[in-house]
């Protein structure tokens, strides 16, 4: 496989998992971003870095940060009421009154109303990673 093809594969894998990683560990998110700037990258190395996060205990701050990044895709279209609802749900999550699933379900409802192809592929929102993380 040519280096260009490997890089494209890595970028696709990263695009799908970026918010999942950010939601688990801001530190690892930054490490992976730096890794992807290297001249040579390896899909197996990238996949391993992402897989290792499965065992990391959730960080409310990192998950909240990822949600705020995702919110950026909606802020121009969503209503004030929708924004307030998301922030209320997120605050309840931070206070331990609900869980990540509640927050993600709300974002997915926004996604139905305001489609975004990039976000629709995000493992944080599709739940692809959630089955094995529980």
């Amino acid at each position: 496989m040519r280096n260009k093809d490997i890089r494209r594969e890595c970028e696709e894998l990263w695009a799908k998992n970026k918010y999942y990683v950010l939601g688990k560990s801001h530190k690892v998110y930054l490490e992976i971003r730096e890794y992807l700037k290297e001249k040579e990258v390896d899909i197996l190395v990238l996949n391993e870095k992402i897989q290792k996060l499965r065992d990391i205990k959730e960080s409310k701050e990192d998950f909240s940060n990822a949600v705020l990044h995702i919110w950026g895709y909606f802020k121009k279209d969503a209503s004030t009421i929708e924004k307030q609802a998301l922030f209320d749900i997120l605050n309840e999550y931070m206070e331990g009154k609900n869980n990540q699933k509640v927050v993600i379900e709300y974002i997915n409802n926004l996604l139905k109303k305001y489609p975004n192809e990039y976000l629709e592929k995000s493992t944080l929102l599709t739940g692809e990673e959630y089955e094995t993380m529980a």
Side-chain angles (χ1 to χ4, degrees):
M1 219 183 197
R2 290 193 349 261
N3 192 28
K4 211 161 79 176
D5 295 332
I6 294 168
R7 178 160 303 278
R8 194 184 73 248
E9 256 190 33
C10 284
E11 285 169 0
E12 285 173 16
L13 181 66
W14 178 236
K16 281 172 61 175
N17 288 285
K18 183 171 142 180
Y19 292 116
Y20 168 73
V21 171
L22 185 58
K24 288 291 246 176
S25 169
H26 189 256
K27 182 174 172 265
V28 174
Y29 171 84
L30 294 175
E31 283 170 15
I32 292 175
R33 271 191 29 196
E34 283 307 305
Y35 173 71
L36 291 172
K37 291 176 186 174
E38 290 180 17
K39 199 172 166 153
E40 300 266 328
V41 290
D42 183 334
I43 190 83
L44 296 174
V45 171
L46 177 59
N47 202 32
E48 191 177 308
K49 289 176 184 287
I50 294 168
Q51 295 301 323
K52 278 184 181 172
L53 287 172
R54 285 185 169 177
D55 302 326
I56 288 182
K57 188 180 180 301
E58 92 179 45
S59 156
K60 286 185 183 291
E61 289 75 23
D62 288 337
F63 177 75
S64 177
N65 184 27
V67 169
L68 295 176
H69 276 258
I70 290 168
W71 166 251
Y73 287 90
F74 298 108
K75 69 181 181 188
K76 284 190 178 99
D77 300 316
S79 70
T80 309
I81 292 167
E82 289 166 329
K83 177 183 180 179
Q84 191 57 56
L86 175 64
F87 281 77
D88 288 347
I89 290 167
L90 192 55
N91 284 333
E92 287 169 5
Y93 163 75
M94 294 299 286
E95 293 166 3
K97 294 177 184 167
N98 66 27
N99 58 25
Q100 287 185 358
K101 197 173 179 203
V102 174
V103 180
I104 289 167
E105 281 172 4
Y106 186 77
I107 293 169
N108 279 320
N109 285 334
L110 286 177
L111 208 47
K112 284 184 188 109
K113 191 170 177 183
Y114 312 106
N116 179 298
E117 199 178 327
Y118 182 67
L119 290 180
E120 286 163 12
K121 293 177 182 166
S122 174
T123 54
L124 180 66
L125 301 178
T126 61
E128 281 177 35
E129 292 287 340
Y130 281 83
E131 276 75 60
T132 53
M133 282 175 20

